[in-house]
Amino acid sequence: MLAEARTGKRSPEILRALADRASHELAGASAVELLEWSTQTFPGSVVATQSMANTALTTLIESFAPQIPIVFVDTGYHFEETLETRDRIAARVEVVTISSALTVAEQAERYGADLWSTDPDRCCAMRKVAPLTDLLIGKEAWISGLRRATATTRVDWQPIAYDEAKGVVKISPLLLWTDGDLAAFTSEHDVITNPLLDSGYPSIGCAPCTRQVNPGEDQRAGRWSGFDKTECGIHL
Ligand code: SF4
């Protein structure tokens, strides 16, 4: 039986200490154990973001923690296939779609067309980071589908950590899953996947900032190709 939803957000000091302790106590915990810990520790105060590439995280939440809301950050620049994947997920579970305060047209009017090509950091900050940060203001915890195996820059990340920038405990139940683990889970369960994954897009972001990768390239080589940029900023 889950505890009742908390009425007030705990302080950064309490949440930081909670994350540090849990990171040690739950070292080696499975994805399901991390989800169950999240629902018990942050009842009514935790959300999960789903990127709509491989949606194994949503499949796990659907089965083991259905009370956790699934959130999709719609930048306005996604591939049609990504939006269709979101719609397929939404036919099974409730998906909360959040977006920038500015429409794409308003952004173009204020900052120039195709900001992604002139200042992608600013574009990501407005279209991805700000909406999620705003959503998390009233939450204590955030679950993401990050995996270490997807980028060499992620090898030091932990399954449970306090996110200083957003003021929440960040839980990454799939962080230690290898590509093989994900493929096995996907084939053994009813996991909805973005068809672009099978068309040369092993990592899928916004359409203007994602290209197909060539054989032998890193799986994130197609993201912000030509820019010295590897993360949108959500996970920094
Ligand atoms: S990935 Fe590209 S289009 Fe999407 S928010 Fe970032 S800069 Fe803008």
Side-chain angles (χ1 to χ4, degrees), residues 49-50 52 54-63 70 89 92-93 95:
T49 49
Q50 180 65 72
M52 305 304 165
N54 179 299
T55 65
L57 179 65
T58 292
T59 302
L60 283 168
I61 288 174
E62 200 178 351
S63 297
I70 305 293
I89 289 288
R92 280 190 4 193
V93 300
V95 176

Side-chain angles (χ1 to χ4, degrees), residues 75-78 107 115-117 119-129 205-210 223-224 229 231-232:
T75 63
Y77 284 112
H78 285 297
Q107 176 173 301
L115 184 61
W116 51 268
S117 69
D119 192 348
D121 285 343
R122 190 170 202 174
C123 186
C124 280
M126 288 193 289
R127 309 216 69 79
K128 289 187 171 184
V129 180
C206 294
C209 301
T210 308
R223 305 288 298 277
W224 302 286
K229 176 177 173 67
E231 299 280 351
C232 66

